[in-house]
């Protein structure tokens, strides 16, 4: 498993957005350029992380104790296992990422914790992930699971393979399972976000800014829970969270669906 320090990585750039240290100069260069195009990106990243934690807490409140985080990135404070284990010490978490940096650091941080697993794989490799013996040893697919696709589908181009993989995950999920998605979108800032997408071509993971209808299509077969697909900070905000001044300008949408 090799890491190229001379090629920017979307996972390491996101780590920099969140104030992490698992990044290289080439990642910081792209991140700083991104800030000039979309100055509120660090806040969007923090709001995305907060959505992830709220989605995990919601799942736990509904009795879900199994979590699969695909496109998990580099672990930072308040990750899935932190929120899940706080709700139930018996919760189990599978982290999946294609980026070797994310996998290496995840394994270093989590060590030999028997309730977590780190796997290097691509979202499209649904059967490989779902049938992996280590995943099967940790996750009982006869019981509800929470599938987290947080801030990652906007790096996956539209294709029949993508939707086939999403159907495979849905079909493997027991009734009561949850799907949490957050996704970048242009909103009313088309020019800014298109420039950002152009910048991300340098990372080898181009940014795909789907509109609301295209994001809703990713939830095919899942019933959205209230409040539906909304701007990140508007999805079940915690008491005391600041209001969003102009939701139409917000660059991220989020929702959680349930498998009925």
């Amino acid at each position: 498993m090799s890491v190229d320090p001379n090629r920017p990585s979307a996972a390491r750039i996101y780590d920099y957005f969140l104030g992490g240290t698992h990044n290289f100069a080439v990642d910081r260069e792209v991140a700083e350029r991104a800030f000039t195009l979309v100055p509120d990106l660090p806040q969007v990243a923090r709001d995305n992380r907060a959505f992830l934690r709220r989605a995990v807490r919601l799942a736990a409140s509904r009795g879900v104790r199994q979590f699969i985080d695909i496109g998990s990135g580099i672990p930072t404070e308040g990750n899935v296992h932190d929120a899940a284990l706080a709700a139930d010490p018996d919760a189990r978490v599978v982290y999946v990422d294609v980026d070797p940096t994310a996998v290496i650091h995840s394994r270093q941080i989590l060590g030999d914790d028997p309730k977590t697993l780190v796997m290097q794989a691509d979202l499209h490799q649904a059967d490989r992930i779902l049938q992996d013996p280590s995943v099967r040893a940790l996750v009982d697919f006869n019981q509800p699971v929470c599938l987290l696709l947080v801030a990652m589908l906007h790096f996956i181009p539209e294709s029949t393979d993508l939707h086939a993989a999403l159907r495979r995950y849905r079909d493997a999920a027991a009734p009561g399972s949850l799907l949490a998605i957050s996704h970048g979108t242009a909103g009313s800032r088309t020019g800014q976000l298109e420039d950002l997408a152009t910048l991300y071509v340098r990372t080898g993971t181009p940014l795909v800014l789907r509109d609301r209808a295209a994001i809703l299509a990713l939830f095919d077969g899942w019933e959205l829970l209230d409040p539906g697909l909304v701007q990140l900070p508007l999805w079940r905000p915690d008491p005391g969270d600041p209001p969003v001044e102009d939701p139409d300008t917000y660059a991220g949408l989020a929702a959680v669906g349930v498998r009925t």
Side-chain angles (χ1 to χ4, degrees):
M1 190 183 304
S2 62
V3 176
D4 185 353
N6 298 309
R7 181 174 183 176
S9 153
R12 297 194 305 262
I13 292 168
Y14 186 65
D15 175 68
Y16 184 71
F17 288 166
L18 291 168
T21 59
H22 301 301
N23 48 74
F24 300 124
V26 67
D27 307 306
R28 296 189 287 273
E29 178 188 347
V30 174
E32 291 295 339
R33 175 60 180 152
F35 293 162
T36 67
L37 298 172
V38 186
D40 58 344
L41 269 179
Q43 183 60 52
V44 174
R46 290 191 294 271
D47 287 339
N48 187 76
R49 209 66 180 174
F51 162 72
L52 180 146
R53 293 192 292 269
R54 295 197 302 273
V56 170
R57 292 202 305 266
L58 170 71
S61 73
R62 295 171 68 96
V64 178
R65 298 294 182 264
Q66 308 179 116
F67 300 84
I68 302 178
D69 185 2
I70 302 181
S72 51
I74 297 170
T76 61
E77 183 179 354
N79 215 310
V80 175
H81 66 277
D82 295 320
L85 293 174
D88 188 327
D90 292 325
R92 301 177 298 284
V93 180
V94 176
Y95 288 112
V96 182
D97 205 290
V98 71
D99 189 298
T101 304
V103 173
I104 290 169
H105 286 298
S106 296
R107 288 175 175 166
Q108 288 175 343
I109 290 169
L110 296 172
D112 57 357
D113 182 352
K115 296 174 185 174
T116 63
L117 171 68
V118 182
M119 179 180 184
Q120 185 175 19
D122 184 276
L123 168 77
H124 297 90
Q125 298 171 305
D127 285 331
R128 180 186 164 205
I129 294 170
L130 294 170
Q131 299 299 329
D132 183 271
S134 297
V135 174
R136 287 276 170 175
L138 201 63
V139 177
D140 178 2
F141 286 97
N142 292 314
Q143 298 298 319
V145 62
C146 179
L147 178 63
L148 298 148
L149 305 177
V150 176
M152 65 85 59
L153 287 173
H154 50 231
F155 295 118
I156 307 293
E158 195 68 17
S159 70
T160 56
D161 287 345
L162 167 62
H163 289 275
L166 292 176
R167 287 194 298 273
R168 182 70 184 89
Y169 293 117
R170 180 198 66 201
D171 292 346
S177 294
L178 299 176
L179 170 64
I181 293 176
S182 64
H183 198 294
T185 191
S188 63
R189 302 159 67 180
T190 303
Q192 277 184 308
L193 273 296
E194 286 180 349
D195 289 344
L196 182 66
T198 299
L199 177 65
Y200 262 84
V201 171
R202 289 183 56 190
T203 70
T205 48
L207 192 59
V208 182
L209 297 168
R210 292 177 174 86
D211 60 18
R212 177 178 290 271
I215 297 172
L216 285 172
L218 301 171
F219 283 97
D220 182 40
W222 302 81
E223 180 182 334
L224 292 193
L225 299 175
D226 289 337
L229 182 65
V230 296
Q231 286 79 10
L232 280 165
L234 298 183
W235 192 88
R236 303 196 180 197
D238 290 326
D241 283 355
V244 179
E245 294 182 2
D246 190 354
D248 288 340
T249 69
Y250 208 83
L253 295 173
V256 174
V258 62
R259 182 86 161 95
T260 57

